[in-house]
Amino acid sequence: MNVLKRLPWVSMIAGFSLLTACSGNTASDKVTEASGASAAPAVEAPPAQSKPVTIEFWYGLGGKLGENMESLIQKFNASQQEVIVKGIVQADYTETEQKLQAAIATGQVPAAVLSSNIDWARKGYFAPMDELIAQQPDFKKEDFVQTFLNQGQVDGKQYFLPMYGTTQIMYYRKDAFEKSGIDASQLKTWEDLAAAAEKMSVKEGGKTTFFGWEPMWGSGNMIDAVLSKGGSILSEDGTKVTIDSPEWIETWDLFRKWIHEDKTMRIHSGGQGWEYWYKTIDDVMKGQAAGYIGSSGDQGDLDFSIVSAMEQPGWAGAGEGKPVAQAIMAGIPAKAGDAERQAAMKWLSYFTNTGNTAFWSINTGYISVRQSALEDPAFISFSKTNPQIKIPLMQASHASAPFQDPTGGKINDALTIAADKVQIENIPAAEALKEAQQTAQAALDKVK
């Protein structure tokens, strides 16, 4: 999901060494007490109570995702007295990055943010984490899912820490499948899904009143489908943008056909923040569509007495699906002070420990970032009665890595524009993608 209000203020505490100062009696006081002697009036003033470092953590999560994040923030704050995290909610991931850009310009940055940008890291907007990580006891870097951890590395340094993993999976109404005699386990290809959507769709007077399927607005679902068909965004040598290849045109035009011609599928677009996303979920939960493609993190918002989950399909003759599995990562802005950076790492380390990453997975459906979370007793117990929690993990085992845009986002922007043309404007995929390829290629040529 793309999920992230308010410019930050940062509370600076002079002297980070105060974090380790003790409150209460001095050592000599304790010796006196132990000996039973009467304590003389103290000559020196007692040490001041150390004050916690207060930091802001920006994140763009709505619904139950936001509730679970706030729950962990409160749990962290209650677990120690050195750091206080103040969660600042943004509308979505995009707004988070926009607000962060403005904050970097003013120098008033949060200490931690649920956002990552490889290009910004190279420009020095984010602080490298390696030394901060080394200061964390029991961090156990090797326990992280390495695919996710590696996504946070830039030029050999760790700039971002994976908070959770995500991949787009399929959610479907069990009653709709049963009514049409469709066995979800037999839907191995996109061709199978299209046929099932046609069978389940209900049309009255030329208008679809029940949709067989709903892809999610944007380029993401269609890119997943292209990768599963063997397509790529760049050539192997990285010099040519290949988004106008037959794999792209054939796949995207099928989505256009399903939405605009067959009218067995539809998308919700626009709105504020995650509005389009929740409208899509509502269609399925309220019985207006048989299923949709959504985030593994949607599981906390779904009623699994009504729906179930399955992996994305592949294509006939092309093998199993290869959708993207991506780490949602957090970073520490470079303009944060030293005390704030250390406090931020303490919070991020806490969020990603075994018990908490298992908690996050159980309550949201997102993928744990630590391998040991799979051995967490609570996760094991939950997965026995909630098998849908395993679907993202199973899919991630044969997933594609996320695309690292070498142009600083211009290729991704071109794909976003092309997706809108296909999904919303009903423009043939060949036309939309050829224009996108030209724009993207020009941007790539500039950086190459």
Side-chain angles (χ1 to χ4, degrees):
M1 288 173 74
N2 295 324
V3 205
L4 300 183
K5 276 178 180 157
R6 200 175 331 161
L7 284 176
W9 57 270
V10 178
S11 177
M12 275 291 254
I13 303 299
F16 186 66
S17 60
L18 287 178
L19 291 180
T20 56
C22 298
S23 62
N25 297 331
T26 65
S28 59
D29 290 333
K30 292 180 180 179
V31 172
T32 302
E33 290 172 5
S35 66
S38 298
V43 176
E44 297 181 1
Q49 177 71 37
S50 61
K51 294 181 179 180
V53 175
T54 299
I55 63 170
E56 285 189 354
F57 172 57
W58 289 9
Y59 61 93
L61 302 174
K64 290 187 177 179
L65 289 173
E67 293 174 10
N68 283 309
M69 178 61 76
E70 183 58 31
S71 174
L72 282 176
I73 289 173
Q74 292 178 5
K75 182 181 173 185
F76 170 72
N77 288 341
S79 71
Q80 43 73 53
Q81 298 181 341
E82 298 174 343
V83 179
I84 295 175
V85 173
K86 302 188 76 170
I88 305 298
V89 184
Q90 314 294 340
D92 54 28
Y93 293 151
T94 300
E95 182 177 290
T96 300
E97 188 163 280
Q98 292 170 346
K99 292 287 185 67
L100 181 61
Q101 187 172 25
I104 290 171
T106 65
Q108 299 298 305
V109 295
V113 58
L114 189 65
S115 181
S116 59
N117 186 310
I118 301 300
D119 187 50
W120 287 10
R122 289 198 172 103
K123 291 178 178 179
Y125 297 163
F126 283 95
M129 293 181 167
D130 302 272
E131 291 185 8
L132 293 169
I133 288 173
Q135 296 170 14
Q136 297 302 307
D138 302 322
F139 188 82
K140 296 181 180 178
K141 195 173 182 178
E142 69 281 358
D143 184 39
F144 275 81
V145 176
Q146 295 302 297
T147 300
F148 292 155
L149 192 67
N150 292 342
Q151 289 176 31
Q153 295 175 4
V154 182
D155 300 332
K157 295 182 179 181
Q158 194 78 41
Y159 275 87
F160 305 101
L161 197 64
M163 301 288 273
Y164 45 92
T166 184
T167 187
Q168 302 269 334
I169 62 173
M170 319 285 270
Y171 299 103
Y172 64 92
R173 289 189 66 96
K174 292 181 279 191
D175 59 354
F177 273 48
E178 185 177 352
K179 181 179 179 180
S180 296
I182 296 170
D183 181 355
S185 67
Q186 299 305 306
L187 300 183
K188 301 296 186 183
T189 66
W190 279 99
E191 292 92 340
D192 293 339
L193 181 66
E198 175 71 37
K199 187 175 183 179
M200 291 185 288
S201 294
V202 177
K203 300 177 182 180
E204 297 177 4
K207 182 179 180 180
T208 304
T209 58
F210 183 87
F211 289 87
W213 204 261
E214 293 193 8
M216 193 61 73
W217 176 41
S219 61
N221 288 172
M222 297 194 296
I223 290 174
D224 278 350
V226 169
L227 297 176
S228 296
K229 203 169 193 175
S232 64
I233 296 177
L234 297 178
S235 58
E236 287 189 14
D237 63 5
T239 63
K240 181 174 175 55
V241 179
T242 56
I243 59 176
D244 60 344
S245 70
E247 292 89 350
W248 282 85
I249 292 172
E250 292 167 5
T251 300
W252 280 37
D253 216 53
L254 277 174
F255 276 81
R256 183 198 61 78
K257 177 176 179 290
W258 295 330
I259 294 168
H260 294 286
E261 295 179 13
D262 300 343
K263 300 185 186 303
T264 58
M265 301 185 188
R266 76 165 169 188
I267 61 164
H268 286 285
S269 62
Q272 296 294 316
W274 294 106
E275 184 178 345
Y276 72 95
W277 199 286
Y278 288 109
K279 281 184 177 179
T280 305
I281 293 175
D282 284 347
D283 277 358
V284 176
M285 298 310 299
K286 294 178 179 178
Q288 297 172 350
Y292 79 103
I293 313 171
S295 168
S296 55
D298 290 354
Q299 294 196 17
D301 290 302
L302 300 175
D303 182 349
F304 284 94
S305 67
I306 298 173
V307 300
S308 190
M310 62 183 180
E311 295 185 51
Q312 278 197 48
W315 291 93
E320 61 186 355
K322 295 180 177 62
V324 169
Q326 182 176 11
I328 304 300
M329 300 183 288
I332 299 174
K335 289 188 177 182
D338 290 342
E340 282 69 32
R341 291 189 194 185
Q342 294 184 54
M345 181 53 66
K346 187 178 180 70
W347 153 240
L348 298 180
S349 298
Y350 178 86
F351 184 95
T352 57
N353 71 30
T354 299
N356 288 329
T357 192
F359 167 88
W360 186 259
S361 182
I362 290 169
N363 287 278
T364 68
Y366 280 119
I367 305 171
S368 300
V369 297
R370 286 190 178 273
Q371 301 172 61
S372 56
L374 300 178
E375 302 168 5
D376 180 78
F379 185 90
I380 293 172
S381 176
F382 183 83
S383 64
K384 289 179 180 178
T385 53
N386 297 273
Q388 73 275 357
I389 197 70
K390 295 181 178 180
I391 298 298
L393 293 168
M394 293 164 59
Q395 182 167 288
S397 69
H398 53 85
S400 298
F403 173 59
Q404 300 292 346
D405 192 338
T407 67
K410 291 182 173 61
I411 295 175
N412 284 326
D413 288 345
L415 285 169
T416 297
I417 293 169
D420 277 355
K421 290 180 177 180
V422 171
Q423 293 179 334
I424 299 174
E425 301 178 43
N426 193 22
I427 291 175
E431 178 182 339
L433 286 168
K434 285 184 183 301
E435 183 177 343
Q437 193 280 335
Q438 293 172 359
T439 300
Q441 186 66 53
L444 182 64
D445 290 342
K446 285 184 178 180
V447 300
K448 291 295 182 184

